[in-house]
Amino acid sequence: MTRRNPLLTEPQYFILAALMDGPLHGYGIIKAAEQATDGRLRIAVATLYGALERMERAGLVTAGQEEIVDGRARRYYRLTEDGTEALRREALRMQQAAAVVIGRARNAGAAPA
């Protein structure tokens, strides 16, 4: 990555997660992210392509195969090794952060010693 372990935004996280199973085109990424979040996250087209461009510059994704569908170019993106590592690192960070809150919530009802 070009910067030292930057945190991923929520859209970036789910874009990278969408690419874990293999290359996807833009619409496929949007739909995969929406499905993964039960519709909570809807990535706008401009947001998607801006994020993909930034993540491509950072070496997290790479554009690959292109095809023409209904007269329009469809570009497929795939996760790089750096992208996989960034996604793993962010998932671990979120898991650790959630554990703090979940642990405190469990102990909230306990009487002080």
Side-chain angles (χ1 to χ4, degrees):
M1 292 174 47
T2 56
R3 289 181 278 167
R4 192 175 155 258
N5 301 330
L7 298 179
L8 298 174
T9 65
E10 186 176 33
Q12 288 173 329
Y13 179 82
F14 283 104
I15 290 167
L16 294 178
L19 297 173
M20 288 177 70
D21 293 328
L24 286 172
H25 54 78
Y27 183 74
I29 295 170
I30 289 170
K31 286 304 181 188
E34 192 173 321
Q35 183 177 7
T37 62
D38 293 325
R40 184 182 55 75
L41 179 66
R42 291 192 171 102
I43 302 172
V45 172
T47 300
L48 172 71
Y49 287 105
L52 284 169
E53 185 177 308
R54 285 187 298 281
M55 289 189 296
E56 191 170 15
R57 280 195 311 260
L60 304 178
V61 300
T62 186
Q65 172 190 347
E66 278 192 36
E67 65 181 357
I68 304 298
V69 177
D70 296 329
R72 298 178 66 187
R74 181 180 283 177
R75 179 177 291 165
Y76 287 79
Y77 294 86
R78 69 173 181 79
L79 204 51
T80 64
E81 286 184 32
D82 284 349
T84 300
E85 178 58 25
L87 184 59
R88 185 200 63 75
R89 198 172 38 250
E90 184 66 7
L92 181 59
R93 185 191 70 79
M94 289 191 302
Q95 182 181 34
Q96 291 168 341
V100 169
V101 173
I102 292 167
R104 285 185 181 170
R106 265 192 231 130
N107 296 329

